[in-house]
Amino acid sequence: MARILVVDDEAAIRELVQGALKSFGYQCETAPNAAAARALLKAQDFDLVISDVIMPGENGLDLIAHVVETYPDTGTLILSALDDPALTQKALDLGIYGYVVKPFDMTSLRIHVACALKQREVQMANRRYREDLERLAEQRTRELHRQQQDYAALVTNLPCVVYTGFTDWSVAFVSEKVRDVTGYEPEVFLSGQKRWSECIVPEDLPTLSEPLKKAMARDGTFIREYRIVDAHGQIRWIQDRGRVILSPESNLDHVSGVFFDITEQKKVREALEQAKEEWERTFDAVPALIQVSDKNRRILKVNAALANRVGIPREDIIGRSCYDIIYGRLEKCPQCPWDNAESLNFPLEREVYNEHLGGYFHITSAPLYNSDGSLAGCISVSHDITALKEAEQEVRRAHWELEQLVSAISSILIGLDPQGRITRWNTMAESVFGLLSTEVLGKKLEDLPLEWQWERVQLAVESCRRKKRIHRVEDVRFTRPDGQPGFLGFTINPMRLDHDTELGLLIMGAEITQRKLLEAQLAQAQKLESIGQLAAGIAHEINTPVQFIGDNTRFLEDAFRDLSRLLEKYQELVQRARQAEDLANLVREVEEAAETIDLDYLLTEIPRAIEQTLEGVQRVAKIVLAMKEFSHPDREEKVPTDINRALENTLTVARNEWKYVADLVAELDPNLPLVPCIPGEMNQVFLNIVVNAAHAVKDAVKDQPDTKGTITVATRVVDDWCEIRVADTGTGIPEKIRHRIFDPFFTTKEVGRGTGQGLAISHHVVVEKHKGQLLFETEEGRGTTFIIRLPMESS
């Protein structure tokens, strides 16, 4: 049964809600204020807290924030008479499960409470799932690290060279022992400075493809022997044992295997060519071999498996030495254990590689005694463990494939040991940072030659170690290998290895530069869209009063023209009235009145005032029209566009940016044809460049308040291009930053004046979307000309 705490300063509300909740089947406690609620929360566990917002003392939102932070398993619900969107948003930001507005009905309350409790259960389940997933990831990471160590130790201790190579003789992996065999460092082959075929004696090279063909037709394994020339010019014999790996199309993809330096063995085998032929005939024999020998190493008895393995009739084996039959030697084996049989501990077990039999063997030997207790001989059982060795090679191959899988992960993956040294650096990390894993393994992050915000990463690393929990770092600035700026996002995970008491770290990340650029472009587009909507609204609002002002002014103009004709008649009447004696006084009064109001001045100035008013109305109408056209809803496809008209609208809208600092010169080609483009996006480009020009001129004349610069906008047709030039007499672009002006987020302007997106977005629109060109010519102290070229034909 869920336990619910109701917090409200009104007793009637508390009782009403408590009664309703109990009728719904819940346990319910109440508190008149936040202080009482805190006390109950400290003493009891609650599944849900329902709180009013406005209460004496601490308000409900602060209480909810306390519950969310202190009791994460407790759900929260707001019950308030305030239906304020801002308050609602603030409550939602705190993480509440619901918002019930007073007055409410019981059905609504029941639904909100049930939904809040259900949401609490889901969130608790999600949190448990995330915790289980993090534990599993940590466990898998420890296992991966342990397997990596085992793999490295195995490769290091093998008495042979482990390799992976391709059909063009390039090498993807080769163990350190290649140095002992060839005299070359592994990096010489791994970096491609030297291909393995360059070491092989030329006359042996043509014979090496046939074993691979046979392996592809059989079980995939091969053995081949050939000569190489080492770094000192010496000839060495190599025995190459491996397996071919096929592509999904059943073509040879690569080869994995081991090779041994058999130079000394080869010298012996050349002297014993007949014995070598016998070894080759018995190479695929059954692996269980049993022999009985006397103390002089003469074979007394063998089983069928050994006879089949050596390829000699059993009767021909009897009486011959074990080293002759088993090891193909003319004399006893060096360091033969039976030289000191009396001092050995039996049974004697050892693991050897038998070149004659072509495999690894685990040999168990036990003595045979005479009746008097003296040593008569021995019995030996040899188990072929070649398959086990091949399985070990398969394990190594699996480890290699695992390494390839880790390298193929599309996220940056960096492992750090407890001392902060790099233990893992995958392919994506190599690509993003431009540093190979061989260059960074064993080093510390802070010692790498990287241009990035290391302080932020370092703080996150220290916080992760200290708090032993995952830490996220966003928007880390860095310089990419191509010199361009970029952004990274990291998740830092604590990782404890079985043999370490201190924490290691697993850093996973991704380059988010493109995402940041898209976000900035979206913000810029939304900003321009808002400005366009505002401009359209203002234009609409201005248009109505301008309309009736213009109409009224034209009415006054027509009316004054009629009045002027009437006044002319009045003047004529006054002239004639002067001759009438009885009207002389009245004429004088009229003349005095005309003199008092300065009728001549009014007749001159009123038409001029009306003319200026009409001119002002026309200018306002022109601005309104430009704003409406500039803010017209954008199109997604190219349409034939009047570039001159678009520039005029842009210059009109941006007039406030340039009119105080520069004189504008427009040299627009009147015969310029329509150009296919996306009008709204090109308006944005024109606006960005004109505003940049105005800022450059302002910087140039800031110390000369009475001086203005010049901005010249020109259009013309050049070959198959429409060329738009925007020239300013500003400060010019310094040579050291010219290569970066189209980079995203790069700006030389002070904070609040530029985002570094204007020219980047303009370059994207002109070059990427319109397949045009965006160039510039500049001279420090003289000014800059930006050149936009748009193709006349739509592509």
Side-chain angles (χ1 to χ4, degrees), residues 150-330:
D150 294 344
Y151 172 72
L154 181 62
V155 171
T156 301
N157 295 324
L158 284 174
C160 57
V161 177
V162 181
Y163 73 89
T164 298
F166 297 101
T167 55
D168 63 353
W169 295 98
S170 62
V171 175
F173 172 78
V174 66
S175 62
E176 295 289 335
K177 288 191 180 295
V178 74
R179 183 188 305 109
D180 301 333
V181 176
T182 68
Y184 294 108
E185 294 294 328
E187 289 75 14
V188 172
F189 299 103
L190 294 174
S191 65
Q193 298 178 33
K194 195 174 188 67
R195 295 182 184 269
W196 184 243
S197 58
E198 297 174 16
C199 297
I200 299 174
V201 173
E203 51 265 34
D204 290 357
L205 198 57
T207 66
L208 300 184
S209 60
E210 189 61 29
L212 299 183
K213 294 179 181 178
K214 292 180 179 179
M216 292 173 65
R218 296 198 306 262
D219 60 354
T221 61
F222 64 86
I223 299 176
R224 53 186 181 180
E225 295 181 358
Y226 50 87
R227 294 167 295 169
I228 67 167
V229 180
D230 65 15
H232 307 292
Q234 301 296 317
I235 299 293
R236 290 178 178 265
W237 274 95
I238 297 297
Q239 186 182 76
D240 186 357
R241 307 173 66 89
R243 177 180 294 274
V244 296
I245 308 300
L246 303 181
S247 67
E249 296 79 19
S250 298
N251 298 320
L252 178 59
D253 185 75
H254 65 276
V255 176
S256 294
V258 298
F259 63 77
F260 303 83
D261 182 356
I262 59 168
T263 305
E264 295 302 321
Q265 297 91 319
K266 193 67 176 178
K267 292 178 181 178
V268 174
R269 283 191 292 173
E270 288 175 354
L272 302 171
E273 189 61 31
Q274 183 61 40
K276 177 178 179 297
E277 292 176 359
E278 293 178 359
W279 299 345
E280 292 174 351
R281 286 196 304 267
T282 60
F283 186 75
D284 293 324
V286 178
L289 313 178
I290 302 174
Q291 70 175 47
V292 179
S293 304
D294 63 16
K295 64 180 180 180
N296 295 318
R297 303 180 181 85
R298 290 190 297 268
I299 295 176
L300 303 176
K301 189 176 181 179
V302 298
N303 69 343
L306 189 149
N308 292 335
R309 187 66 180 261
V310 299
I312 303 175
R314 196 177 311 196
E315 58 273 17
D316 293 340
I317 297 175
I318 304 304
R320 297 171 63 177
S321 61
C322 63
Y323 50 80
D324 177 21
I325 298 301
I326 305 302
Y327 295 101
R329 300 178 61 88
L330 296 177

Side-chain angles (χ1 to χ4, degrees), residues 342-550:
E342 291 78 3
S343 61
L344 294 177
N345 293 321
F346 292 103
L348 176 66
E349 296 188 18
R350 64 193 188 279
E351 185 178 299
V352 300
Y353 177 73
N354 190 319
E355 294 182 3
H356 177 58
L357 299 181
Y360 288 90
F361 291 88
H362 182 269
I363 303 174
T364 303
S365 300
L368 293 174
Y369 296 100
N370 294 317
S371 58
D372 58 2
S374 61
L375 182 66
C378 76
I379 180 170
S380 297
V381 179
S382 300
H383 295 277
D384 191 342
I385 60 172
T386 305
L388 177 61
K389 292 295 183 180
E390 291 177 348
E392 291 175 352
Q393 294 177 3
E394 287 295 321
V395 170
R396 288 194 294 272
R397 185 182 64 81
H399 279 289
W400 176 81
E401 291 178 349
L402 182 60
E403 289 291 319
Q404 294 297 102
L405 177 62
V406 171
S407 297
I409 292 176
S410 60
S411 298
I412 298 170
L413 187 65
I414 302 173
L416 300 180
D417 66 10
Q419 288 71 44
R421 294 186 294 265
I422 298 172
T423 59
R424 167 71 60 191
W425 188 270
N426 72 341
T427 302
M428 182 57 65
E430 293 181 338
S431 175
V432 171
F433 294 112
L435 295 174
L436 298 177
S437 60
T438 54
E439 301 177 78
V440 303
L441 292 180
K443 297 181 180 179
K444 294 187 175 182
L445 279 176
E446 58 266 34
D447 296 333
L448 300 184
L450 298 176
E451 295 182 18
W452 65 337
Q453 292 178 304
W454 163 243
E455 297 77 10
R456 294 186 60 201
V457 180
Q458 186 178 33
L459 288 175
V461 167
E462 293 172 354
S463 176
C464 182
R465 289 189 188 279
R466 184 174 62 256
K467 297 180 180 179
K468 298 180 177 60
R469 64 187 184 192
I470 295 175
H471 201 93
R472 181 69 184 170
V473 188
E474 294 284 1
D475 300 341
V476 176
R477 289 180 177 267
F478 84 114
T479 301
R480 298 189 294 189
D482 59 4
Q484 301 299 316
F487 288 89
L488 300 169
F490 290 115
T491 299
I492 304 174
N493 302 271
M495 180 177 62
R496 190 182 300 280
L497 303 177
D498 290 343
H499 60 282
D500 286 327
T501 57
E502 299 181 33
L503 282 177
L505 296 178
L506 181 64
I507 302 177
M508 298 186 68
E511 183 178 358
I512 58 174
T513 307
Q514 189 64 25
R515 190 190 79 191
K516 292 288 293 180
L517 178 58
L518 292 175
E519 288 175 353
Q521 291 177 346
L522 177 60
Q524 180 78 354
Q526 290 173 340
K527 176 181 177 182
L528 287 172
E529 181 181 358
S530 298
I531 293 173
Q533 291 173 351
L534 177 61
I538 293 173
H540 178 73
E541 294 301 323
I542 291 175
N543 203 40
T544 300
V546 166
Q547 182 69 40
F548 66 71
I549 291 173

